[in-house]
Structure formats: C-alpha cells, structure tokens
Amino acid sequence: MDLQTLTYTVVGFTFALYIGIAFWARAATTGEFYAAGRGVHPVANGMATAADWMSAASFISMAGLIAFNGYGASVFLMGWTGGYVLLALLLAPYLRKFGKFTVPEFIGDRYYSRTARIVAVICLILASVTYVIGQMKGIGVAFSRFLETEYDTGLYIGMGIVFIYAVMGGMKGITYTQIAQYCVLIFAYTVPAIFISLNLTGNPIPQMGLGSTMADGSGTFMLDRLDQVVTDLGFKEYTTQVMGSKLNMFVYTLSLMIGTAGLPHVIIRFFTVPKVKDARSSAGWALVFIAILYTTAPAVGSMARLNLMNTIQTGEVGSAEGNVEIANVPQWMTNWEKTGLLQWEDKNGDGRIQYYNDKNAEFTAKAESYGWKGNEMTKVDRDIMVLANPEIAQLPNWVIALVVAGGLAAALSTAAGLLLAIASSISHDLLKGVFMPDISEKNELMAGRFAMAGAIAMAGYFGLHPPDFAAGTVAIAFGLAASSIFPALMMGIFNKKMNRSGAIWGMISGIGVTMLYVFQHKGIMFIPGTSFLGDMGPSWFLGISPNAFGAVGALVNFVVAIVVSKVTAPPPDHIQHLVEDIRVPKGAGTATDH
Amino acid sequence: MNKTAEQYWKANIRLVSVLLVIWFICSFLFGIILVDPLNTIKIGGVGLGFWFAQNGSIYVFLVLIYVYAKRMNALDVEFDVHED
C-alpha cells in the first residue's frame, strides 16, 4: 500500500474509533455534558487529562522547537510538567472539595460577587481562545500534510472536523474518547522515537539514547556530534544555546508552570473525580502519562535536528559535493514543499542546497569563500519537524501514517476540551449564572454548542495568521491564564482575608498588563502590523519575551490583590467559614449545581 | 476553625512548603541558574544541568506529587478529617 492510502486508512480507523466512543457515551444531561457525572476513576481520569493536556503544542510543535532551540527549549519541558506540582499541591483537592462545575463558579462564590464571576469568565475565554488558535495552527499543519494541500485548506478542513467532533459530545463522551486518543498519540510518538534512537545510537530507549554514543563506531556521544554538526555551519551550540537570556528562561518556565495550574480545561478535570483523595492522585497520574511523552521529546528533537542537518549537508562543509543536489532531494522534502511550510531556493545556482546560519557574521565570511550566497533553506517551519521526522529517518510507511494520526489525536482532543471549557463558561456561567437564570437545560446545552461554533470560527480566523509557532501561541495562552486565574484561585484557598475587590482588581490588572505587553509586541489581537513597539528583542522589558510575560502579570495580580484587600472591607464571616471548610476533605459530597 | 483543623492545616502548609522548595531546586536552580557549572559533570554524554532541564526535573516532579498524595492521605486519617 502506498503512503497516502495507508495514511487515509490509519487516520480513518482512529476517527471511526473516536466517533464510535463519543456516540456510545454521548451526553444527555448538563451534568454529564460538563463533568461526566463524577464517575471517572483516577487512572482513567489521569490518562484523559494527559490527552486533553498534550495538544498540538506538545505533540507537533514542542520537539521542533527543541530541535532548533536546543537547551533553550527546556522552558517548555519544565514549564509544562512542573505546573502539575502546583496544581496537585495548591489547587486540585480544594477545588474538588468545593464541588462545583466550573472555575468562574468557584471564583463567584468564594468572592461573593457576580462581577468577580464575570471577570473570571472573560479571562478564561481570552486564554482559551488564544489556546485554540495554537491548536488550529497544529491542525492546519497536520491536515495539510495528510491531504497534501496548502496550509490554509488544511486549516479549513480541520475546523470542520473539530466542530462536528466537539459539538457532538460533552465531557463524558470526551473523557472516554480521550483515553483512546491518549493511546493513539503516545504510541505514535514513542514508536518512531524508538526506531530513530536505535538507528542513531543503538539504544532502543530514547531517554537513554540521548546520552549514548553514536552507533557508527566513532565512540562520539550523540549530543557532542550534534553540537559539532550545528556549530560547523555557524549555528549556536545545541546543548548550551539559551532562549533570550537566563532571566527570560526563568520567567518563561514560571509562566508556563502557573499557567498550567490556571487553565480551565485542566482544572475542570479535577471536578470529575469521585473524591478529594482522587483529585490528589489524579494530578500524579496525569503527569505520569504526560512524562512518557515529555521525557522522550528531548531525544526526538535532538535526533531530528541531527538527521535534518545530515540530509542537507551530506558531505564535508565547504566541499563542492558536500551538499544535497536539488534534483535528488528526498521525497519528504518535496511532500512538505507542497504545504508551503518548507521552502528552498538555489541562491548561488550550483544545483545544491546550502543550509547554514547566515546571521552569523564570522561564518558568513567563511561561507562566501565556499561560493555560498546565503542560507538556501528559506523556510523551515518548526511545526513540521515531528510529522516529518519518521520520513527524514526513512522509517516504514506505517510509522509515518501513525504519526499523522497521533498528531491529529493530540490537536483534536485538546481543541475539544478547550471548546468545552469555553462553552460551559458562556452557557453555564454567563447565561444561566448571570443573565438568564431560568434557562432550560435543553437551551443551555444549545447555547453551549453555539458558543463552541463561534469559538472555532474565531480561532480558525486567527489560525490563518498565527502569532507564533503552535507552542509559542499556546505559551501566550498560558501567560493569560497565569496572570489572571491562578492567583485568584490560590489566594481564594490560602488567604482567608482575600476579599472581593482584591480578587477583581488583581485579575484585571494581571491580565491587563500581560495583554498590553503581548499586544504591543505581537500586534493588537495578533493582527500583523498593529504592534506599536515591534516584536524585537531590544524593546522587551528586561529582555523578557511576550510569550513569557505571564509570570510578571501574575506577580502584578498578587501584589495588587493584596494591597487592595488591605484597604477594603474583609470578606464576610460565612465566606471565611467556607474557606475553612474547603481546606479539609471531610464532608465532600457529590457536586451540586447551585 | 477548631484546634485539630488548625493543626491539620499547619501540617499541610509545612509539607507543601518543603515539596515546593525541592520543586524549585530541581527545575529553576539546577536546570537554569546553575546549569553551566552542573554541565561540567557528565552522565553518559549529557551534562547534568542539561539533563535536569530536559529530563531530570520531570522525574522529580512525579516523585513530589506521589509523596504529597501519600502524606496528605495519611494526615487526613491522623487528624480525622478524611472523607466517609
């Protein structure tokens, strides 16, 4: 069977599986639609949380960023796992004890204020929609490769499928489907990694392969070889290159960590376990399943980079025959050229491709002496690396088909979970909670579905011109969640004296500062050309990139909230008792709806 | 808050603080601040700082959550605040 047919078969089979499960477990009541009736086992919940969590950013985008940023991309690895520690220790058990369906519901009740609830809904929608934009980028990349079309067409088709998929089921359907998706995506991620690690280092365990010697008998460590290969072409040394500065990396990591603990679609997961005890262990189980992919990613990224460099620089640097001939580029390069995400141009007309760092003045001088006239790989979209990886490593066709299915599973599961969070915040928190308390269950479900459709259309529109690679866009979403939701939740539990005004002003100033910083560098609503300070390093505050600014926003949130709460009236007694009550597990009943 | 609930909460804060200090050390301290000096120590072909940043910290996170869940469940019983 040729690759195209095989890919259709594998993707078709996995889709039939998800839709079958979604149909079998489809939601009938609002309770099931939002929270699966709380009957989900911690291990199952952990696996579903992992699928929900690991999106296009983790599956498709992250290893590509690791490949090109080396050590600097550690921010994603630490940031997107370390947040689970915060979630488990600081939020999950208490939110489960509180026993409501949504994050704004907690904030509204804890801060005895409808305004606080509405502010939380707005923050949540901003973060979630930005997150879905990142997913749309990943979905567009996966579909364009899978259907061999342009990125834009792939994106439109992807939007349609996400819509059908998310609107049909609610949380319960999604929970069971996500378990299936986890299995598909983790299998699809680790199988090629094992093959590639075996090919390059002879060690079948990618985590060990990272620190092993090359299998070519040279006795050189894989990472040392990679450092050598990239620095020979003027790129920065893989294992030491930093992202911006150490300070930027520190803030970036922190922003992703607290964003993780503030994202509604992850928090909502801990409402669905039977007991407080289970909420604690669920976070651990989720991280176990996530860690399998995250500890494999450094091997995937570094080995993909090594294979890519070796594909183009086939011989000695500077020798006439040292580069791949354009007439003989491997099939995967021509496949990806069709999507517009990989492009090359023969600048010096020698019929071969030179791929090097032409921003490095020292190396450019050397390159000129070889007759090279600039870097000829004019576009290498980082987001294609994972999907192209098995093709680059010349793995069998079924592995390539599997990876496409895995990428789609990752992007779809997260998009569905986020859309559910958006739908519930609009239909449940805004309509039922604030504007139309008498709305019937049926109409509430209907409103939720309309909200999803609107969110997909909006995210798709921005997905045509995403502000960054999938992982970068998602990082902005984390910054927004970090600067608004997390501080309000944490202080709601750990600071009994935190009051309504403190929380509201904290959230507004936190997310306000973050959005202002992102927009002034990335464009208003990410529209290119509207950024009034320019997306450039020198204009960044202390060299902190917009993607990393959520941590600063969170700090502003904490400070403003504490100062405001000191000068305004303390929360009423019954609220202080409520806080005392959520601090102990005893008496956690099943969740109630108002 | 009665006496036991207060002590339970103090024990909880103590546990969480210790775990968060370790959380900070394995990621921010070893993975970012001290990455260069630690990279002079190699395990296999990987510098220790680089390893903490890309692999080691994740393993430590897992242990932290495991210890937390286990200790908290024990505290629940000890202070008689466990569910049902």
Side-chain angles (χ1 to χ4, degrees):
Chain A
M1 223 189 292
D2 71 348
L3 176 59
Q4 188 72 355
T5 328
L6 196 62
T7 310
Y8 274 107
T9 314
V10 174
V11 172
F13 173 76
T14 53
F15 269 59
L17 183 71
Y18 310 147
I19 292 170
I21 295 172
F23 188 74
W24 164 69
R26 71 186 184 283
T29 64
T30 44
E32 281 186 353
F33 190 75
Y34 298 129
R38 277 166 226 280
V40 183
H41 189 272
V43 178
N45 195 49
M47 207 183 269
T49 309
D52 202 346
W53 169 252
M54 289 192 294
S55 60
S58 300
F59 188 98
I60 297 177
S61 192
M62 188 174 66
L65 289 175
I66 296 172
F68 290 93
N69 293 299
Y71 164 70
S74 307
V75 298
F76 298 111
L77 291 160
M78 288 186 285
W80 281 334
T81 52
Y84 274 85
V85 177
L86 300 180
L87 194 55
L89 273 52
L90 302 178
L91 302 182
Y94 309 107
L95 294 178
R96 171 63 194 89
K97 171 68 196 295
F98 180 71
K100 288 284 168 70
F101 285 124
T102 68
V103 172
E105 226 171 353
F106 174 81
I107 290 180
D109 285 8
R110 166 62 182 83
Y111 295 115
Y112 46 100
S113 157
R114 265 187 11 181
T115 317
R117 185 167 174 170
I118 295 169
V119 171
V121 171
I122 294 168
C123 295
L124 189 153
I125 291 172
L126 284 170
S128 303
V129 171
T130 310
Y131 201 146
V132 184
I133 298 173
Q135 299 311 308
M136 287 298 171
K137 166 80 200 290
I139 289 171
V141 172
F143 272 99
S144 63
R145 170 65 191 88
F146 162 44
L147 301 169
E148 300 193 348
T149 60
E150 292 209 346
Y151 169 75
D152 290 5
T153 320
L155 181 64
Y156 292 130
I157 295 168
M159 280 165 66
I161 291 187
V162 170
F163 176 74
I164 296 170
Y165 179 78
V167 167
M168 256 181 63
M171 196 58 158
K172 191 173 173 201
I174 287 177
T175 300
Y176 292 113
T177 317
Q178 283 178 335
I179 293 171
Q181 282 167 332
Y182 178 78
C183 298
V184 171
L185 82 85
I186 202 67
F187 190 64
Y189 202 83
T190 48
V191 165
I194 290 169
F195 274 119
I196 293 168
S197 176
L198 202 55
N199 276 347
L200 276 180
T201 67
N203 195 325
I205 301 165
Q207 287 84 343
M208 315 265 293
L210 186 70
S212 299
T213 51
M214 297 293 290
D216 57 8
S218 62
T220 320
F221 285 111
M222 196 276 294
L223 285 173
D224 291 342
R225 169 68 60 85
L226 178 57
D227 278 344
Q228 184 67 43
V229 167
V230 294
T231 46
D232 277 352
L233 288 163
F235 294 103
K236 285 185 193 144
E237 189 178 64
Y238 184 86
T239 53
T240 56
Q241 68 181 107
V242 291
M243 192 182 266
S245 62
K246 287 267 176 68
L247 175 70
N248 183 49
M249 286 182 67
F250 188 99
V251 180
Y252 208 138
T253 306
L254 189 61
S255 177
L256 296 182
M257 283 184 179
I258 51 189
T260 299
L263 272 172
H265 74 296
V266 178
I267 296 176
I268 216 171
R269 284 279 166 201
F270 300 97
F271 295 100
T272 66
V273 290
K275 290 180 177 180
V276 173
K277 226 165 102 175
D278 300 326
R280 292 175 189 142
S281 59
S282 266
W285 280 112
L287 189 58
V288 167
F289 293 117
I290 291 166
I292 298 173
L293 188 144
Y294 272 63
T295 55
T296 309
V300 173
S302 55
M303 291 173 188
R305 179 76 181 276
L306 188 57
N307 279 332
L308 174 73
M309 301 310 287
N310 286 338
T311 303
I312 295 166
Q313 191 69 47
T314 51
E316 205 183 314
V317 177
S319 68
E321 315 264 280
N323 295 76
V324 70
E325 284 178 88
I326 290 178
N328 289 328
V329 296
Q331 183 64 36
W332 69 266
M333 285 179 70
T334 41
N335 287 346
W336 280 100
E337 196 190 9
K338 286 179 206 153
T339 63
L341 299 168
L342 187 72
Q343 284 161 8
W344 57 87
E345 183 195 340
D346 193 6
K347 290 178 182 165
N348 64 349
D350 66 347
R352 293 172 187 270
I353 301 175
Q354 284 90 37
Y355 180 36
Y356 67 99
N357 185 5
D358 55 10
K359 306 267 184 316
N360 178 339
E362 199 185 322
F363 187 77
T364 307
K366 216 194 270 179
E368 271 165 22
S369 73
Y370 302 146
W372 296 359
K373 297 210 167 100
N375 173 29
E376 297 182 350
M377 290 299 286
T378 46
K379 184 167 185 183
V380 187
D381 192 297
R382 270 67 172 144
D383 289 349
I384 73 171
M385 285 311 289
V386 167
L387 293 173
N389 203 18
E391 298 176 87
I392 300 173
Q394 296 168 349
L395 298 183
N397 278 351
W398 66 268
V399 180
I400 301 168
L402 189 63
V403 172
V404 175
L408 292 175
L412 279 177
S413 61
T414 305
L418 282 163
L419 289 165
L420 187 83
I422 296 171
S424 65
S425 55
I426 290 178
S427 64
H428 194 72
D429 290 311
L430 276 189
L431 289 182
K432 192 175 169 70
V434 179
F435 296 115
M436 301 163 68
D438 301 327
I439 191 170
S440 71
E441 273 213 358
K442 204 173 148 214
N443 285 342
E444 192 191 333
L445 277 177
M446 186 58 76
R449 290 181 169 134
F450 273 113
M452 278 187 182
I456 292 171
M458 204 159 117
Y461 173 74
F462 289 116
L464 289 173
H465 304 286
D468 200 337
F469 300 113
T473 311
V474 167
I476 297 173
F478 277 73
L480 296 177
S483 62
S484 55
I485 306 282
F486 176 77
L489 290 177
M490 193 189 150
M491 287 184 292
I493 297 160
F494 287 85
N495 184 350
K496 239 194 306 184
K497 301 277 179 209
M498 182 47 62
N499 64 9
R500 176 171 59 194
S501 317
I504 294 172
W505 287 110
M507 283 192 282
I508 291 175
S509 51
I511 203 166
V513 165
T514 310
M515 276 180 58
L516 183 70
Y517 193 76
V518 170
F519 284 172
Q520 73 186 12
H521 295 294
K522 295 251 174 201
I524 294 158
M525 291 318 289
F526 310 128
I527 296 161
T530 57
S531 65
F532 40 96
L533 283 184
D535 186 14
M536 287 183 308
S539 61
W540 291 349
F541 174 70
L542 296 175
I544 297 169
S545 65
N547 294 8
F549 209 70
V552 180
L555 186 69
V556 170
N557 185 334
F558 277 115
V559 171
V560 168
I562 289 166
V563 170
V564 171
S565 73
K566 293 268 183 233
V567 296
T568 46
D573 280 347
H574 75 273
I575 294 297
Q576 303 202 26
H577 288 138
L578 172 86
V579 177
E580 281 167 11
D581 183 59
I582 57 173
R583 287 179 177 184
V584 290
K586 198 172 198 165
T590 50
T592 48
D593 186 21
H594 297 285
Chain B
M1 224 186 252
N2 60 38
K3 191 91 177 116
T4 23
E6 215 168 282
Q7 283 169 342
Y8 169 78
W9 187 246
K10 275 197 183 129
N12 173 19
I13 297 285
R14 214 175 306 128
L15 174 66
V16 169
S17 312
V18 171
L19 295 178
L20 285 183
V21 168
I22 303 172
W23 165 81
F24 181 85
I25 291 174
C26 77
S27 51
F28 294 98
L29 192 66
F30 288 175
I32 298 175
I33 299 168
L34 296 179
V35 67
D36 295 325
L38 283 177
N39 273 344
T40 55
I41 307 164
K42 298 268 178 187
I43 35 167
V46 192
L48 190 61
F50 182 86
W51 182 80
F52 262 106
Q54 301 218 329
N55 254 324
S57 54
I58 301 173
Y59 301 129
V60 179
F61 296 152
L62 280 172
V63 174
L64 291 178
I65 297 182
Y66 176 79
V67 170
Y68 170 76
K70 219 173 153 62
R71 284 291 303 143
M72 281 310 286
N73 292 345
L75 280 181
D76 288 354
V77 176
E78 195 185 320
F79 288 90
D80 194 30
V81 291
H82 56 287
E83 298 155 275
D84 46 56

